[in-house]
Amino acid sequence: EQSFARWLGRRHAVSVASGTLGTWLALRALGIGEGDEVIASPHGWHQVAQAVTLAGATLVFSDINYWTGCLDPARAASKVTPQTKAILAGNSNGHPAAWAALRTLADERGLALIEDSTEAIGSRYQGRLVGSFGDLAVFDFAQPSALCCGEGAMVVTDDDRLAIELRYLRQRSVK
């Protein structure tokens, strides 16, 4: 965990069993649940959508940028409602999303930004490694990920409170 966080330039890394579980725990740590909306791309692994529904939130699909295959920030902005609590954007097939625009959108609208970096370990955007732009970022190490270690995943953040909550949730059985 410490080595992974250091490599990414993040303060905390929390190991978990899978990318789906990591995404679910990230949502839980943020307090996202029933009555909340999460904007995500329909172009990606179905487990991402599953994590949102497992958290009890409503998944709101927004379209992608044709050239990158990643969530389009302008289209995502049109989907924000008072119930929206987070944007969950992925780096599709190693192609980084438009993180600068997504970060601006999240900050302007008071939303959490979650990076799905399960497909892009080692990819860079504007000179920075993916996984360093969101409030939280999730990496997956199961097949067919870029770094396949059999199973497992990692959630990274710079927020001390979120890291504590992730570790707490990881250790208990929650509904």
Side-chain angles (χ1 to χ4, degrees):
E1 290 179 339
Q2 291 173 352
S3 294
F4 196 82
R6 193 170 34 255
W7 174 69
L8 278 173
R10 302 298 299 251
R11 290 180 57 157
H12 305 280
V14 179
S15 61
V16 294
S18 70
T20 305
L21 179 61
T23 305
W24 179 64
L25 291 175
L27 292 164
R28 294 288 309 261
L30 288 164
I32 294 173
E34 192 170 327
D36 298 331
E37 294 177 349
V38 177
I39 297 171
S41 167
H43 179 67
W45 294 100
H46 69 276
Q47 291 91 339
V48 173
Q50 181 186 19
V52 174
T53 58
L54 286 173
T58 300
L59 182 63
V60 176
F61 283 129
S62 183
D63 213 346
I64 61 171
N65 174 292
Y66 175 81
W67 297 106
T68 66
C70 301
L71 187 67
D72 183 290
R75 292 177 175 153
S78 72
K79 299 286 186 172
V80 176
T81 72
Q83 289 74 40
T84 305
K85 300 297 183 238
I87 298 169
L88 175 55
N91 300 292
S92 184
N93 296 315
H95 297 285
W99 292 113
L102 288 166
R103 180 78 266 169
T104 299
L105 171 61
D107 290 345
E108 287 176 352
R109 303 287 181 98
L111 305 174
L113 181 59
I114 305 169
E115 270 186 80
D116 172 11
S117 293
T118 58
E119 297 180 38
I121 190 167
S123 293
R124 292 182 177 271
Y125 174 78
Q126 296 182 345
R128 290 174 49 194
L129 287 167
V130 297
S132 62
F133 299 95
D135 299 299
L136 298 131
V138 181
F139 291 86
D140 189 89
F141 308 130
Q143 188 177 0
S145 296
L147 177 61
C148 183
C149 302
E151 289 296 328
M154 197 75 72
V155 183
V156 297
T157 185
D158 291 327
D159 187 307
D160 296 339
R161 185 195 62 78
L162 288 175
I164 290 167
E165 188 66 13
L166 285 167
R167 287 187 175 100
Y168 171 75
L169 292 169
R170 175 182 67 180
Q171 293 179 26
R172 51 186 307 263
S173 177
V174 291
K175 274 203 162 214

